[in-house]
Amino acid sequence: MSSPSAIRDVNITSAFWTSMQSRSRLLTIPAIIHAQKSLGHWYCLTWKEGHKTKPHAFWDSDIYKVTEAACYFLLKEHPEGKDDLILRQEVEHAVDMIRAAQHEDGYLNSYYTVRGVHKRWTNVRDMHELYCLGHLIEACVAYETLTNSGRLLEPVMKALKHVDSVFGPEDGKLHGYPGHPEIELGLLRLYELTKEPLPLKLAKYFILERGQRDANGEIFYDHEARARGGDPYDAMGSEMPNPYTHPRDYAYQQAHAPLVEQDEIKGHSVRAMYFVTAATEYVRLTGDIQVKEALDRLWRNTVDKKLYITGALGAMRQSEGFGPDYFLGDTEESHGCYAETCATFALIVWCSKLLRQELKGEYGDVMEIALYNGFLGAVGLDGKSFYYQNPLRTFTGHKKERSTWFEVACCPPNVAKLLGQLESLIYSSYEQESLVAVHLWIASEFSVPESGGTLVSQTTNLPWSGDIQLTVRGPKALKLALRIPDWAASNYSCSLSGGEVKDGYLYLAAVANTTISLNFPLQPRKVYANPKTGKDEICIMRGPLVYCIEDVDNPGVDIDHIALIADDIVADAPAATIASVEDVVRVHSPGKEIVNANWSSLYGSEEWKYGDSTKQLTFVPYFLRMNRGGNGGMRVWVKRIQC
Amino acid sequence: MSSPSAIRDVNITSAFWTSMQSRSRLLTIPAIIHAQKSLGHWYCLTWKEGHKTKPHAFWDSDIYKVTEAACYFLLKEHPEGKDDLILRQEVEHAVDMIRAAQHEDGYLNSYYTVRGVHKRWTNVRDMHELYCLGHLIEACVAYETLTNSGRLLEPVMKALKHVDSVFGPEDGKLHGYPGHPEIELGLLRLYELTKEPLPLKLAKYFILERGQRDANGEIFYDHEARARGGDPYDAMGSEMPNPYTHPRDYAYQQAHAPLVEQDEIKGHSVRAMYFVTAATEYVRLTGDIQVKEALDRLWRNTVDKKLYITGALGAMRQSEGFGPDYFLGDTEESHGCYAETCATFALIVWCSKLLRQELKGEYGDVMEIALYNGFLGAVGLDGKSFYYQNPLRTFTGHKKERSTWFEVACCPPNVAKLLGQLESLIYSSYEQESLVAVHLWIASEFSVPESGGTLVSQTTNLPWSGDIQLTVRGPKALKLALRIPDWAASNYSCSLSGGEVKDGYLYLAAVANTTISLNFPLQPRKVYANPKTGKDEICIMRGPLVYCIEDVDNPGVDIDHIALIADDIVADAPAATIASVEDVVRVHSPGKEIVNANWSSLYGSEEWKYGDSTKQLTFVPYFLRMNRGGNGGMRVWVKRIQC
């Protein structure tokens, strides 16, 4: 079995990524905690029944998520020790609040504590009690990995015993499952940490029970709604929450069918990703073949028909979810591009779990694309502003600025969580086979477990230039499995011959105290979309980076009405680091503007045409967008001129 | 002042339109009444408190609308007298039920009668009590025009006195207005019929009060929600109905701002059209300049930025409403094309009211486009099946069949209502000026009021061929104002010279006992969309008809992946009538298919290309779609090949 690289075992040296991580640790996490404190949400766990502030069903989870993120960063030593001390105090303060907030019977939730605990567990479809607990469990795993103190494990196990008394197949228990999956993944992570049977039992129940139908074709949420006095069939009633397009639209929660019957990814994209991620871990731990086959179908559908080129997910605003196959609108104005940060975060985590099961380059390719594009631009270069939605196109005059906080604040802490655990995505080790797999090409050192101190290290300036020096040093000889990104598969080079490529990984025989040189050529390239998407457009990529054109780099160009000639794309020479945002590698290509774009009427008999003269257009990586001013004009896909 | 031609004064002779009208009278209306009876809804007005069937907030309105439609048709004598007798009996039966259902104090609504009348008027935002009354008033106008019996006028006036006791600016009354506009138009029509001051007073209040804000920026719906115990700011609560994209999304009801402050048409498209139609009548009756200026702005925004080429309205599924400027998606799968039948119906009515105010060809042009395209195809050639949504594109393998009934059944009766009053859309007469205006080119005879029996008649085979013989016969000489459609403005001919075109109407000096020949050339033409729509596509039109390509006419052509060359469009020779659906004028043009359209992946480096060989494509009028089998592939806009 493979283990992902532990955070403590990896030292990231990439100037690109350490700057992102430092920003997250020194700016993002303090900003998140500051926002929660200034709004008062941070203290919601201390509130008693009837507290004057109206509670929110999700605020507990914000505390848990930032605590989890902080613990990841605290696993590493940093030169700025003072900041770490303050962060550790915040973590312990949160743990104190959590311990004090728990009810005698193990129940833990600020919303129902304030609103009246007798109402608890009456609406697991919408009210997020299990979702919040799931984030608590993930925080617990991170915290106990850091401290091994048991201070969070104790209330968590007590809470799980309470959950076990409420949910399950037995008569008298609720045959339910959370409206927003999340606890399933937390439970399986806790099981892996503790080997306690209870979390595995609960995760299995929640995963397999979801979407099960009774003889009338009804599911738990129908029964639960009736028990509240509601009518789930009523299109005008309160049982048709806002995101539904029709009554009983349970695809929203992936409860339209049991997982093993599903073959299309549907509904709320974050819920879907959290669910399939947990189910993937469930397969790894149990070997359930039917669930694995369902997940394989859902992966294919996601990647082949529903994935934005940036690694974003979710076209539909109403459901914050997936559209039909091939419907991938680019603008949020049309409500046809939602692309929530958390969904891309979750996709990256899903890929990492799939890679634990099976070394397939495709999982790493998608993880890399999502990381560098859909995910990375969700946080501003200031480290303190965030996107909830990540459209691929915005219009001149309609600037889309990042926000410092959201009422539903899931995205900012997820950014910090991912950057905090980036070390765990880069490598896997297979102890029995003496094999180390490299999933991501990020300059770093990996201290391979149970290898007598053997180090695997990469030196590279990716994503800017494609040379890599990969070194194995230490007492143990290691076989290597190196992901060859799909964008380099046809023209990469490796100094060590004799390797064999299988499923996107280059397998090399055991080496010791050796440096291997790899090169992944980084010519900018044109990418086209499947004609079924209707996109008669070109996207420029270079290595793992999706490029966009932004008005700030193209004065005098009508970004909203340009087409790319794209026969002649050139990239700037790479700078050494991304110490400054000006260091990114820009790409240039000639394009043309529509000459008669300004119509007063909606329809007309005059054909619109591109002019004869060409303009030199400048593209920058998509993650850099809306960081340097400009007037809002930005697009990933640019019209192609074709005959 | 102008008067639209009364239904009784016009005799439509067009084979095209009489077949549509007969179908509506002999098939559609009986089918609607049959559906209501078999579902039991027809009897909802007879139900008492606690009735076992769960009532619906709109069912009353379905009875009223079909009653209204029936009365229009009954205004004319038909050779099949038996059918008219049966229809008249249904109408009288409905009137009996309405009279019996009214409460002592004038209140009339089956939903609250069943659910408990003490709950009435607690949610005018959602519960449609005033909307239903509005349709009753319109039915009353039609019925009293037919019978002059007072049998509906009596309960209606009683109901309005009750409404007046509940709503108004006085202390102790509700300062509210209906969530779904409709009563405003009914009230103004009733005022015109009766000259009673009460309907005008109420209409004025509802029109001007909508969207008024208090010192906190809140509107009546905020106050009303709190009075029900709700929190209008709660994104999770029952005060955020399903169509809202955010709490207090009152654009849905056009209540985001008072009408006089509005400059963009927003929200639910049917509500919007009903509201502006009533406000247009309000301007005509009162001369309110501020309201007129607002309506002028809303008209410009509608026509210049939000109107489908078919005359459909409403891109967004969630709100059944308008999208942002220039967002006009073509497929309902993307939730980016709603195009509700009722919105196009209402747009036609709005145009007719605008033409009462001011003779502007633009109003007639839009009315004509909406009538022949967005509206006409909403009913199947069988007369008994209907579209609620009218997307401009459907995909092969996803057939969109018409339905026989809907839970919310607004569309079918609106189709019958419009075809029943088609006579009133064709002409206007201006008695003082001895002027008759021709708005629509539909073969018919108009007996001009107060003219001693002077007839204006048109002979034409439009929409198939463009020759028109316009005759004035009788004792009175008449000036004429003839709408020159925008599609014929540059190349029409008229046998009578000396006329002057102003605002799209050709004004001719007084003529008597004369026949004038007009010709509107009907070459098929290519229409392009404003580049801001992103549509790099071509629509073929011929005269007022929008054409589409449908798979049933194009065996072996991949409708989903074609482009039009469109340099060589030819039309078949017109047949004499549309006695058979095979008689429509087809249009042909060469096109090309994408040769490498079938990708397994979502993105790739291979450019997709059109093949070298051309295929002859056949187009039919959009209204004919999905009537003759096929596999669902249909599109109005076809990709253009351009260099």
Side-chain angles (χ1 to χ4, degrees), chain A residues 307 603-604 608 640 642-643, chain B residues 307 528 603-604 608 640 642-643:
Chain A
L307 180 68
Y603 306 106
W608 44 276
R640 69 168 174 159
Q642 133 283 352
C643 290
Chain B
L307 180 68
Y528 302 93
Y603 306 106
W608 44 277
R640 69 167 174 161
Q642 134 283 351
C643 292

Side-chain angles (χ1 to χ4, degrees), chain B residues 121-126 167-177 205 209-233 239 244 248 250 253 255:
Chain B
W121 306 128
T122 55
N123 185 354
V124 299
R125 187 190 71 192
D126 302 331
F167 292 91
E170 298 88 352
D171 283 350
K173 290 189 181 179
L174 296 176
H175 309 322
Y177 36 85
Y205 184 71
E209 186 62 22
R210 179 174 300 275
Q212 295 291 346
R213 292 174 289 245
D214 66 16
N216 301 318
E218 296 195 329
I219 67 167
F220 174 74
Y221 298 146
D222 294 307
H223 308 160
E224 189 195 53
R226 285 212 192 80
R228 285 194 304 269
D231 174 2
Y233 292 83
E239 299 308 330
Y244 289 17
R248 309 182 64 248
Y250 297 132
Q253 299 98 347

Side-chain angles (χ1 to χ4, degrees), chain A residues 356-429:
Chain A
R356 286 192 77 174
Q357 246 182 57
E358 208 173 350
L359 276 187
K360 284 176 87 167
E362 186 179 36
Y363 301 144
D365 290 341
V366 172
M367 178 165 76
E368 185 182 67
I369 290 291
L371 184 66
Y372 275 104
N373 303 291
F375 171 78
L376 198 56
V379 56
L381 289 180
D382 63 4
K384 295 187 278 193
S385 59
F386 311 93
Y387 279 144
Y388 204 105
Q389 296 171 247
N390 297 274
L392 281 72
R393 182 177 183 187
T394 54
F395 292 93
T396 306
H398 297 86
K399 276 202 230 187
K400 180 175 170 66
E401 305 274 13
R402 291 176 182 83
S403 307
T404 51
W405 196 243
F406 305 97
E407 172 73 11
V408 175
C410 45
C411 299
N414 271 340
V415 170
K417 274 177 58 172
L418 193 85
L419 288 168
Q421 61 185 310
L422 182 62
E423 288 84 353
S424 67
L425 305 180
I426 304 175
Y427 304 94
S428 295
S429 58

Side-chain angles (χ1 to χ4, degrees), chain B residues 96 99 110 152 158 161 181 202 214 217 306 397 403 425 448 464 489 569 591 633 638:
Chain B
D96 290 341
R99 291 176 62 89
S110 72
L152 261 187
K158 191 172 166 187
K161 282 177 191 132
L202 288 171
D214 66 16
K306 303 214 179 183
S403 307
L425 305 180
V448 182
W464 306 123
I569 315 180
V638 180

